[in-house]
């Protein structure tokens, strides 16, 4: 084989080159898709509502309830103590208040927990049990007489 023909063969772009490029390209695309799907499924926290049509039938009632709760003007300050128990300071409601809460882990890695509170002093409540460390969303429910107020608080 002549020198000129050898150089042409060595620098030639063949079908094997395009095959290798396509395999690498689609291998990267499939690999990234598998990785992203794995991340998405591992952090899926569940559904918000089971049936969106049925939930839509209650939407106006939920708006009315939210307006009534806002009109009460109540607020809550939630603090996690060093021992893991929660302290809630309420402003607004008077005597005869019942405070309950549901703690749920935003990523669904921990089971939901009901949290009970005892009255420590006027407007100040302390949870009976400690809440494990980590991120939690606390759904507070405060009832006094016929009034009810709800709030979601993110705990770090």
């Amino acid at each position: 084989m002549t020198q000129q023909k050898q150089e042409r063969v060595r620098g030639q772009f063949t079908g094997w080159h395009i095959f290798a490029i396509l395999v690498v390209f689609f291998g990267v695309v499939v690999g990234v898709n598998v990785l992203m799907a794995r991340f998405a499924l591992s952090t899926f926290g569940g559904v918000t509502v089971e049936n969106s049509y049925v939930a839509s039938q209650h939407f106006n009632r939920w708006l009315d309830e939210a307006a009534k709760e806002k009109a009460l003007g109540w607020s809550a300050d939630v603090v996690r103590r060093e021992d893991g128990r929660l302290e809630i300071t309420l402003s607004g409601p008077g005597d005869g208040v019942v405070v309950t809460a549901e703690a749920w882990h935003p990523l669904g890695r921990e089971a939901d927990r009901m949290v009970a509170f005892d009255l420590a002093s006027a407007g100040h409540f302390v949870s009976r049990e400690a809440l494990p460390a980590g991120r939690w969303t606390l759904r507070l429910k405060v009832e006094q007489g016929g009034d009810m107020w709800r709030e979601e608080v993110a705990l770090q």
Side-chain angles (χ1 to χ4, degrees), residues 68-115:
K68 288 177 188 174
E69 291 175 14
K70 187 175 182 179
L72 292 173
W74 296 354
S75 65
D77 182 36
V78 180
V79 177
R80 185 193 303 249
R81 297 183 349 178
E82 287 187 23
D83 64 357
R85 293 176 32 185
L86 303 176
E87 288 185 22
I88 298 178
T89 304
L90 296 175
S91 61
D95 295 331
V97 175
V98 176
V99 177
T100 56
E102 179 184 4
W104 58 278
H105 201 267
L107 299 179
R109 293 191 178 145
E110 296 273 347
D112 295 350
R113 302 166 187 260
M114 292 304 297
V115 182

mmCIF file of all heavy atoms in Angstrom, residues 68-115:
data_model
loop_
_atom_site.group_PDB
_atom_site.id
_atom_site.type_symbol
_atom_site.label_atom_id
_atom_site.label_comp_id
_atom_site.label_asym_id
_atom_site.label_seq_id
_atom_site.Cartn_x
_atom_site.Cartn_y
_atom_site.Cartn_z
ATOM 1 N N LYS A 68 -63.143 33.037 57.080
ATOM 2 C CA LYS A 68 -63.560 33.101 58.492
ATOM 3 C C LYS A 68 -62.351 32.989 59.416
ATOM 4 O O LYS A 68 -62.262 33.698 60.414
ATOM 5 C CB LYS A 68 -64.558 31.986 58.802
ATOM 6 C CG LYS A 68 -65.924 32.196 58.200
ATOM 7 C CD LYS A 68 -66.832 31.012 58.503
ATOM 8 C CE LYS A 68 -68.129 31.121 57.751
ATOM 9 N NZ LYS A 68 -68.971 29.922 57.918
ATOM 10 N N GLU A 69 -61.431 32.094 59.082
ATOM 11 C CA GLU A 69 -60.231 31.919 59.902
ATOM 12 C C GLU A 69 -59.365 33.177 59.876
ATOM 13 O O GLU A 69 -58.842 33.597 60.902
ATOM 14 C CB GLU A 69 -59.423 30.717 59.417
ATOM 15 C CG GLU A 69 -60.103 29.396 59.675
ATOM 16 C CD GLU A 69 -59.363 28.218 59.081
ATOM 17 O OE1 GLU A 69 -58.188 28.376 58.688
ATOM 18 O OE2 GLU A 69 -59.949 27.129 59.004
ATOM 19 N N LYS A 70 -59.243 33.781 58.721
ATOM 20 C CA LYS A 70 -58.440 35.003 58.612
ATOM 21 C C LYS A 70 -59.085 36.146 59.396
ATOM 22 O O LYS A 70 -58.382 36.946 60.009
ATOM 23 C CB LYS A 70 -58.273 35.381 57.146
ATOM 24 C CG LYS A 70 -57.320 36.519 56.922
ATOM 25 C CD LYS A 70 -57.089 36.778 55.450
ATOM 26 C CE LYS A 70 -56.079 37.893 55.283
ATOM 27 N NZ LYS A 70 -55.808 38.164 53.882
ATOM 28 N N ALA A 71 -60.408 36.211 59.396
ATOM 29 C CA ALA A 71 -61.126 37.277 60.108
ATOM 30 C C ALA A 71 -60.929 37.180 61.620
ATOM 31 O O ALA A 71 -61.048 38.188 62.324
ATOM 32 C CB ALA A 71 -62.611 37.230 59.761
ATOM 33 N N LEU A 72 -60.610 35.986 62.140
ATOM 34 C CA LEU A 72 -60.365 35.839 63.574
ATOM 35 C C LEU A 72 -59.129 36.627 64.008
ATOM 36 O O LEU A 72 -59.051 37.081 65.146
ATOM 37 C CB LEU A 72 -60.197 34.363 63.944
ATOM 38 C CG LEU A 72 -61.437 33.480 63.833
ATOM 39 C CD1 LEU A 72 -61.072 32.017 64.054
ATOM 40 C CD2 LEU A 72 -62.497 33.927 64.823
ATOM 41 N N GLY A 73 -58.149 36.745 63.119
ATOM 42 C CA GLY A 73 -56.936 37.505 63.428
ATOM 43 C C GLY A 73 -55.983 36.791 64.366
ATOM 44 O O GLY A 73 -55.127 37.436 64.974
ATOM 45 N N TRP A 74 -56.087 35.499 64.474
ATOM 46 C CA TRP A 74 -55.214 34.744 65.364
ATOM 47 C C TRP A 74 -53.881 34.489 64.673
ATOM 48 O O TRP A 74 -53.781 34.459 63.454
ATOM 49 C CB TRP A 74 -55.841 33.415 65.746
ATOM 50 C CG TRP A 74 -57.105 33.531 66.548
ATOM 51 C CD1 TRP A 74 -57.658 34.673 67.042
ATOM 52 C CD2 TRP A 74 -57.976 32.473 66.929
ATOM 53 N NE1 TRP A 74 -58.820 34.396 67.708
ATOM 54 C CE2 TRP A 74 -59.037 33.040 67.655
ATOM 55 C CE3 TRP A 74 -57.967 31.110 66.729
ATOM 56 C CZ2 TRP A 74 -60.071 32.289 68.195
ATOM 57 C CZ3 TRP A 74 -59.000 30.353 67.251
ATOM 58 C CH2 TRP A 74 -60.029 30.929 67.981
ATOM 59 N N SER A 75 -52.851 34.271 65.484
ATOM 60 C CA SER A 75 -51.550 33.897 64.938
ATOM 61 C C SER A 75 -50.843 32.991 65.936
ATOM 62 O O SER A 75 -51.204 32.950 67.110
ATOM 63 C CB SER A 75 -50.695 35.132 64.636
ATOM 64 O OG SER A 75 -50.390 35.819 65.821
ATOM 65 N N ALA A 76 -49.859 32.289 65.439
ATOM 66 C CA ALA A 76 -49.116 31.355 66.286
ATOM 67 C C ALA A 76 -47.633 31.473 65.997
ATOM 68 O O ALA A 76 -47.224 31.652 64.849
ATOM 69 C CB ALA A 76 -49.580 29.922 66.038
ATOM 70 N N ASP A 77 -46.847 31.358 67.048
ATOM 71 C CA ASP A 77 -45.389 31.322 66.929
ATOM 72 C C ASP A 77 -44.945 29.950 67.433
ATOM 73 O O ASP A 77 -45.204 29.607 68.591
ATOM 74 C CB ASP A 77 -44.766 32.447 67.752
ATOM 75 C CG ASP A 77 -43.263 32.487 67.620
ATOM 76 O OD1 ASP A 77 -42.767 32.202 66.514
ATOM 77 O OD2 ASP A 77 -42.586 32.793 68.616
ATOM 78 N N VAL A 78 -44.309 29.173 66.560
ATOM 79 C CA VAL A 78 -43.901 27.809 66.909
ATOM 80 C C VAL A 78 -42.382 27.757 67.008
ATOM 81 O O VAL A 78 -41.682 28.209 66.109
ATOM 82 C CB VAL A 78 -44.399 26.792 65.855
ATOM 83 C CG1 VAL A 78 -43.980 25.387 66.234
ATOM 84 C CG2 VAL A 78 -45.897 26.895 65.685
ATOM 85 N N VAL A 79 -41.899 27.178 68.108
ATOM 86 C CA VAL A 79 -40.461 27.043 68.339
ATOM 87 C C VAL A 79 -40.188 25.608 68.759
ATOM 88 O O VAL A 79 -40.925 25.031 69.561
ATOM 89 C CB VAL A 79 -39.989 28.019 69.446
ATOM 90 C CG1 VAL A 79 -38.520 27.824 69.735
ATOM 91 C CG2 VAL A 79 -40.286 29.450 69.060
ATOM 92 N N ARG A 80 -39.108 25.028 68.215
ATOM 93 C CA ARG A 80 -38.685 23.694 68.640
ATOM 94 C C ARG A 80 -37.657 23.868 69.753
ATOM 95 O O ARG A 80 -36.640 24.528 69.584
ATOM 96 C CB ARG A 80 -38.063 22.922 67.486
ATOM 97 C CG ARG A 80 -37.721 21.481 67.866
ATOM 98 C CD ARG A 80 -36.826 20.820 66.838
ATOM 99 N NE ARG A 80 -37.384 20.818 65.507
ATOM 100 C CZ ARG A 80 -37.796 19.720 64.889
ATOM 101 N NH1 ARG A 80 -37.712 18.559 65.469
ATOM 102 N NH2 ARG A 80 -38.267 19.791 63.675
ATOM 103 N N ARG A 81 -37.930 23.252 70.889
ATOM 104 C CA ARG A 81 -37.010 23.344 72.014
ATOM 105 C C ARG A 81 -35.855 22.369 71.818
ATOM 106 O O ARG A 81 -35.881 21.529 70.936
ATOM 107 C CB ARG A 81 -37.748 23.012 73.322
ATOM 108 C CG ARG A 81 -38.841 23.999 73.609
ATOM 109 C CD ARG A 81 -39.583 23.834 74.888
ATOM 110 N NE ARG A 81 -39.386 22.624 75.651
ATOM 111 C CZ ARG A 81 -39.970 22.394 76.822
ATOM 112 N NH1 ARG A 81 -40.788 23.279 77.337
ATOM 113 N NH2 ARG A 81 -39.777 21.277 77.464
ATOM 114 N N GLU A 82 -34.826 22.507 72.644
ATOM 115 C CA GLU A 82 -33.650 21.638 72.532
ATOM 116 C C GLU A 82 -33.985 20.176 72.786
ATOM 117 O O GLU A 82 -33.336 19.286 72.256
ATOM 118 C CB GLU A 82 -32.558 22.109 73.489
ATOM 119 C CG GLU A 82 -31.890 23.381 73.036
ATOM 120 C CD GLU A 82 -30.707 23.753 73.898
ATOM 121 O OE1 GLU A 82 -30.133 22.858 74.556
ATOM 122 O OE2 GLU A 82 -30.353 24.933 73.910
ATOM 123 N N ASP A 83 -35.011 19.916 73.600
ATOM 124 C CA ASP A 83 -35.398 18.533 73.883
ATOM 125 C C ASP A 83 -36.302 17.950 72.789
ATOM 126 O O ASP A 83 -36.756 16.818 72.893
ATOM 127 C CB ASP A 83 -36.064 18.421 75.254
ATOM 128 C CG ASP A 83 -37.374 19.196 75.349
ATOM 129 O OD1 ASP A 83 -37.749 19.881 74.375
ATOM 130 O OD2 ASP A 83 -38.022 19.120 76.413
ATOM 131 N N GLY A 84 -36.572 18.725 71.718
ATOM 132 C CA GLY A 84 -37.375 18.241 70.604
ATOM 133 C C GLY A 84 -38.851 18.536 70.733
ATOM 134 O O GLY A 84 -39.605 18.357 69.772
ATOM 135 N N ARG A 85 -39.283 18.983 71.908
ATOM 136 C CA ARG A 85 -40.707 19.315 72.079
ATOM 137 C C ARG A 85 -40.990 20.670 71.448
ATOM 138 O O ARG A 85 -40.097 21.491 71.270
ATOM 139 C CB ARG A 85 -41.068 19.290 73.556
ATOM 140 C CG ARG A 85 -40.973 17.862 74.093
ATOM 141 C CD ARG A 85 -41.204 17.720 75.554
ATOM 142 N NE ARG A 85 -42.146 18.664 76.128
ATOM 143 C CZ ARG A 85 -42.400 18.744 77.428
ATOM 144 N NH1 ARG A 85 -41.795 17.947 78.257
ATOM 145 N NH2 ARG A 85 -43.254 19.620 77.883
ATOM 146 N N LEU A 86 -42.230 20.886 71.100
ATOM 147 C CA LEU A 86 -42.635 22.124 70.429
ATOM 148 C C LEU A 86 -43.326 23.063 71.408
ATOM 149 O O LEU A 86 -44.126 22.625 72.234
ATOM 150 C CB LEU A 86 -43.582 21.815 69.275
ATOM 151 C CG LEU A 86 -43.058 20.867 68.211
ATOM 152 C CD1 LEU A 86 -44.137 20.568 67.194
ATOM 153 C CD2 LEU A 86 -41.833 21.441 67.538
ATOM 154 N N GLU A 87 -43.021 24.351 71.285
ATOM 155 C CA GLU A 87 -43.693 25.392 72.058
ATOM 156 C C GLU A 87 -44.493 26.250 71.088
ATOM 157 O O GLU A 87 -43.974 26.686 70.072
ATOM 158 C CB GLU A 87 -42.687 26.292 72.768
ATOM 159 C CG GLU A 87 -41.974 25.665 73.926
ATOM 160 C CD GLU A 87 -41.080 26.670 74.646
ATOM 161 O OE1 GLU A 87 -41.313 27.891 74.521
ATOM 162 O OE2 GLU A 87 -40.148 26.220 75.314
ATOM 163 N N ILE A 88 -45.740 26.487 71.433
ATOM 164 C CA ILE A 88 -46.599 27.337 70.611
ATOM 165 C C ILE A 88 -47.095 28.488 71.470
ATOM 166 O O ILE A 88 -47.637 28.270 72.554
ATOM 167 C CB ILE A 88 -47.796 26.556 70.043
ATOM 168 C CG1 ILE A 88 -47.305 25.438 69.131
ATOM 169 C CG2 ILE A 88 -48.747 27.483 69.306
ATOM 170 C CD1 ILE A 88 -48.401 24.594 68.565
ATOM 171 N N THR A 89 -46.918 29.683 70.970
ATOM 172 C CA THR A 89 -47.458 30.871 71.619
ATOM 173 C C THR A 89 -48.540 31.426 70.707
ATOM 174 O O THR A 89 -48.258 31.789 69.557
ATOM 175 C CB THR A 89 -46.354 31.922 71.845
ATOM 176 O OG1 THR A 89 -45.301 31.324 72.604
ATOM 177 C CG2 THR A 89 -46.903 33.120 72.591
ATOM 178 N N LEU A 90 -49.775 31.467 71.223
ATOM 179 C CA LEU A 90 -50.917 31.940 70.445
ATOM 180 C C LEU A 90 -51.237 33.379 70.814
ATOM 181 O O LEU A 90 -51.219 33.741 71.982
ATOM 182 C CB LEU A 90 -52.147 31.076 70.707
ATOM 183 C CG LEU A 90 -52.077 29.619 70.284
ATOM 184 C CD1 LEU A 90 -53.333 28.886 70.719
ATOM 185 C CD2 LEU A 90 -51.926 29.523 68.781
ATOM 186 N N SER A 91 -51.556 34.155 69.808
ATOM 187 C CA SER A 91 -52.075 35.492 70.075
ATOM 188 C C SER A 91 -53.460 35.563 69.466
ATOM 189 O O SER A 91 -53.670 35.186 68.320
ATOM 190 C CB SER A 91 -51.169 36.555 69.466
ATOM 191 O OG SER A 91 -51.096 36.422 68.080
ATOM 192 N N GLY A 92 -54.406 35.993 70.254
ATOM 193 C CA GLY A 92 -55.771 36.125 69.758
ATOM 194 C C GLY A 92 -56.787 35.403 70.596
ATOM 195 O O GLY A 92 -57.624 36.041 71.233
ATOM 196 N N PRO A 93 -56.750 34.079 70.649
ATOM 197 C CA PRO A 93 -57.805 33.373 71.374
ATOM 198 C C PRO A 93 -57.654 33.525 72.883
ATOM 199 O O PRO A 93 -56.554 33.739 73.384
ATOM 200 C CB PRO A 93 -57.634 31.911 70.947
ATOM 201 C CG PRO A 93 -56.219 31.805 70.522
ATOM 202 C CD PRO A 93 -55.845 33.146 69.984
ATOM 203 N N GLY A 94 -58.765 33.411 73.576
ATOM 204 C CA GLY A 94 -58.740 33.528 75.032
ATOM 205 C C GLY A 94 -58.698 32.170 75.703
ATOM 206 O O GLY A 94 -57.932 31.300 75.304
ATOM 207 N N ASP A 95 -59.548 32.000 76.733
ATOM 208 C CA ASP A 95 -59.580 30.748 77.492
ATOM 209 C C ASP A 95 -60.346 29.667 76.741
ATOM 210 O O ASP A 95 -61.106 29.933 75.819
ATOM 211 C CB ASP A 95 -60.242 30.991 78.856
ATOM 212 C CG ASP A 95 -59.429 31.926 79.725
ATOM 213 O OD1 ASP A 95 -58.197 31.949 79.555
ATOM 214 O OD2 ASP A 95 -60.022 32.633 80.561
ATOM 215 N N GLY A 96 -60.143 28.416 77.168
ATOM 216 C CA GLY A 96 -60.860 27.283 76.597
ATOM 217 C C GLY A 96 -60.355 26.884 75.218
ATOM 218 O O GLY A 96 -61.114 26.403 74.390
ATOM 219 N N VAL A 97 -59.080 27.065 74.981
ATOM 220 C CA VAL A 97 -58.494 26.763 73.677
ATOM 221 C C VAL A 97 -57.978 25.329 73.666
ATOM 222 O O VAL A 97 -57.343 24.873 74.611
ATOM 223 C CB VAL A 97 -57.329 27.734 73.366
ATOM 224 C CG1 VAL A 97 -56.646 27.353 72.074
ATOM 225 C CG2 VAL A 97 -57.841 29.148 73.305
ATOM 226 N N VAL A 98 -58.236 24.630 72.581
ATOM 227 C CA VAL A 98 -57.709 23.291 72.375
ATOM 228 C C VAL A 98 -56.790 23.351 71.151
ATOM 229 O O VAL A 98 -57.205 23.784 70.075
ATOM 230 C CB VAL A 98 -58.840 22.264 72.139
ATOM 231 C CG1 VAL A 98 -58.266 20.900 71.831
ATOM 232 C CG2 VAL A 98 -59.774 22.227 73.323
ATOM 233 N N VAL A 99 -55.534 22.919 71.330
ATOM 234 C CA VAL A 99 -54.558 22.947 70.241
ATOM 235 C C VAL A 99 -54.171 21.510 69.890
ATOM 236 O O VAL A 99 -53.777 20.743 70.762
ATOM 237 C CB VAL A 99 -53.298 23.745 70.637
ATOM 238 C CG1 VAL A 99 -52.272 23.706 69.514
ATOM 239 C CG2 VAL A 99 -53.659 25.166 70.995
ATOM 240 N N THR A 100 -54.290 21.182 68.623
ATOM 241 C CA THR A 100 -53.816 19.892 68.124
ATOM 242 C C THR A 100 -53.004 20.174 66.861
ATOM 243 O O THR A 100 -53.105 21.254 66.279
ATOM 244 C CB THR A 100 -54.974 18.936 67.781
ATOM 245 O OG1 THR A 100 -55.839 19.576 66.844
ATOM 246 C CG2 THR A 100 -55.744 18.539 69.019
ATOM 247 N N ALA A 101 -52.224 19.212 66.451
ATOM 248 C CA ALA A 101 -51.423 19.389 65.240
ATOM 249 C C ALA A 101 -51.133 18.033 64.620
ATOM 250 O O ALA A 101 -51.087 17.014 65.309
ATOM 251 C CB ALA A 101 -50.119 20.112 65.557
ATOM 252 N N GLU A 102 -50.928 18.073 63.321
ATOM 253 C CA GLU A 102 -50.468 16.901 62.594
ATOM 254 C C GLU A 102 -49.116 17.271 62.000
ATOM 255 O O GLU A 102 -48.993 18.278 61.304
ATOM 256 C CB GLU A 102 -51.444 16.531 61.483
ATOM 257 C CG GLU A 102 -51.000 15.338 60.673
ATOM 258 C CD GLU A 102 -51.936 15.040 59.515
ATOM 259 O OE1 GLU A 102 -52.890 15.792 59.283
ATOM 260 O OE2 GLU A 102 -51.671 14.045 58.819
ATOM 261 N N ALA A 103 -48.112 16.496 62.311
ATOM 262 C CA ALA A 103 -46.772 16.735 61.772
ATOM 263 C C ALA A 103 -46.544 15.750 60.648
ATOM 264 O O ALA A 103 -46.726 14.548 60.817
ATOM 265 C CB ALA A 103 -45.723 16.563 62.860
ATOM 266 N N TRP A 104 -46.162 16.260 59.499
ATOM 267 C CA TRP A 104 -45.863 15.373 58.373
ATOM 268 C C TRP A 104 -44.542 15.776 57.762
ATOM 269 O O TRP A 104 -44.177 16.931 57.728
ATOM 270 C CB TRP A 104 -46.987 15.329 57.350
ATOM 271 C CG TRP A 104 -47.375 16.626 56.739
ATOM 272 C CD1 TRP A 104 -48.201 17.577 57.259
ATOM 273 C CD2 TRP A 104 -46.955 17.139 55.471
ATOM 274 N NE1 TRP A 104 -48.316 18.630 56.414
ATOM 275 C CE2 TRP A 104 -47.567 18.394 55.303
ATOM 276 C CE3 TRP A 104 -46.135 16.654 54.465
ATOM 277 C CZ2 TRP A 104 -47.370 19.172 54.166
ATOM 278 C CZ3 TRP A 104 -45.936 17.427 53.341
ATOM 279 C CH2 TRP A 104 -46.558 18.667 53.198
ATOM 280 N N HIS A 105 -43.833 14.756 57.319
ATOM 281 C CA HIS A 105 -42.514 14.933 56.725
ATOM 282 C C HIS A 105 -42.714 15.271 55.251
ATOM 283 O O HIS A 105 -43.391 14.537 54.542
ATOM 284 C CB HIS A 105 -41.710 13.636 56.880
ATOM 285 C CG HIS A 105 -40.248 13.833 56.763
ATOM 286 N ND1 HIS A 105 -39.589 13.684 55.574
ATOM 287 C CD2 HIS A 105 -39.318 14.186 57.676
ATOM 288 C CE1 HIS A 105 -38.308 13.929 55.762
ATOM 289 N NE2 HIS A 105 -38.120 14.232 57.028
ATOM 290 N N PRO A 106 -42.162 16.408 54.776
ATOM 291 C CA PRO A 106 -42.426 16.828 53.399
ATOM 292 C C PRO A 106 -42.051 15.805 52.334
ATOM 293 O O PRO A 106 -42.678 15.746 51.294
ATOM 294 C CB PRO A 106 -41.572 18.082 53.229
ATOM 295 C CG PRO A 106 -41.230 18.530 54.592
ATOM 296 C CD PRO A 106 -41.296 17.332 55.478
ATOM 297 N N LEU A 107 -41.046 14.993 52.580
ATOM 298 C CA LEU A 107 -40.630 14.020 51.583
ATOM 299 C C LEU A 107 -41.213 12.637 51.837
ATOM 300 O O LEU A 107 -40.901 11.699 51.120
ATOM 301 C CB LEU A 107 -39.099 13.933 51.536
ATOM 302 C CG LEU A 107 -38.411 15.243 51.167
ATOM 303 C CD1 LEU A 107 -36.906 15.062 51.179
ATOM 304 C CD2 LEU A 107 -38.866 15.740 49.821
ATOM 305 N N GLY A 108 -42.047 12.503 52.853
ATOM 306 C CA GLY A 108 -42.701 11.241 53.125
ATOM 307 C C GLY A 108 -41.804 10.167 53.681
ATOM 308 O O GLY A 108 -42.153 8.994 53.669
ATOM 309 N N ARG A 109 -40.636 10.530 54.182
ATOM 310 C CA ARG A 109 -39.702 9.517 54.692
ATOM 311 C C ARG A 109 -40.033 9.099 56.109
ATOM 312 O O ARG A 109 -39.594 8.062 56.558
ATOM 313 C CB ARG A 109 -38.269 10.049 54.615
ATOM 314 C CG ARG A 109 -37.830 10.222 53.189
ATOM 315 C CD ARG A 109 -36.371 10.496 53.055
ATOM 316 N NE ARG A 109 -36.033 10.599 51.643
ATOM 317 C CZ ARG A 109 -35.131 11.397 51.167
ATOM 318 N NH1 ARG A 109 -34.425 12.153 51.977
ATOM 319 N NH2 ARG A 109 -34.888 11.447 49.873
ATOM 320 N N GLU A 110 -40.772 9.930 56.819
ATOM 321 C CA GLU A 110 -41.213 9.603 58.174
ATOM 322 C C GLU A 110 -42.737 9.520 58.155
ATOM 323 O O GLU A 110 -43.399 10.201 57.372
ATOM 324 C CB GLU A 110 -40.786 10.710 59.158
ATOM 325 C CG GLU A 110 -39.304 10.872 59.324
ATOM 326 C CD GLU A 110 -38.734 9.943 60.382
ATOM 327 O OE1 GLU A 110 -39.514 9.351 61.147
ATOM 328 O OE2 GLU A 110 -37.511 9.826 60.429
ATOM 329 N N ALA A 111 -43.289 8.723 59.040
ATOM 330 C CA ALA A 111 -44.742 8.604 59.128
ATOM 331 C C ALA A 111 -45.324 9.883 59.737
ATOM 332 O O ALA A 111 -44.684 10.545 60.553
ATOM 333 C CB ALA A 111 -45.111 7.403 59.992
ATOM 334 N N ASP A 112 -46.543 10.220 59.313
ATOM 335 C CA ASP A 112 -47.231 11.365 59.900
ATOM 336 C C ASP A 112 -47.471 11.100 61.378
ATOM 337 O O ASP A 112 -47.654 9.951 61.797
ATOM 338 C CB ASP A 112 -48.568 11.608 59.208
ATOM 339 C CG ASP A 112 -48.400 12.019 57.757
ATOM 340 O OD1 ASP A 112 -47.264 12.296 57.345
ATOM 341 O OD2 ASP A 112 -49.420 12.075 57.051
ATOM 342 N N ARG A 113 -47.493 12.176 62.164
ATOM 343 C CA ARG A 113 -47.687 12.037 63.602
ATOM 344 C C ARG A 113 -48.698 13.050 64.082
ATOM 345 O O ARG A 113 -48.680 14.202 63.649
ATOM 346 C CB ARG A 113 -46.381 12.308 64.352
ATOM 347 C CG ARG A 113 -45.256 11.419 63.958
ATOM 348 C CD ARG A 113 -43.941 11.980 64.477
ATOM 349 N NE ARG A 113 -42.846 11.200 63.946
ATOM 350 C CZ ARG A 113 -42.229 10.246 64.632
ATOM 351 N NH1 ARG A 113 -42.576 10.006 65.859
ATOM 352 N NH2 ARG A 113 -41.252 9.565 64.084
ATOM 353 N N MET A 114 -49.540 12.629 64.997
ATOM 354 C CA MET A 114 -50.428 13.556 65.691
ATOM 355 C C MET A 114 -49.670 14.079 66.903
ATOM 356 O O MET A 114 -49.028 13.308 67.619
ATOM 357 C CB MET A 114 -51.726 12.875 66.117
ATOM 358 C CG MET A 114 -52.608 12.491 64.950
ATOM 359 S SD MET A 114 -53.050 13.857 63.848
ATOM 360 C CE MET A 114 -53.985 14.908 64.923
ATOM 361 N N VAL A 115 -49.726 15.382 67.104
ATOM 362 C CA VAL A 115 -49.014 16.012 68.204
ATOM 363 C C VAL A 115 -50.043 16.632 69.137
ATOM 364 O O VAL A 115 -50.879 17.433 68.708
ATOM 365 C CB VAL A 115 -48.032 17.099 67.694
ATOM 366 C CG1 VAL A 115 -47.270 17.708 68.854
ATOM 367 C CG2 VAL A 115 -47.091 16.525 66.660
#
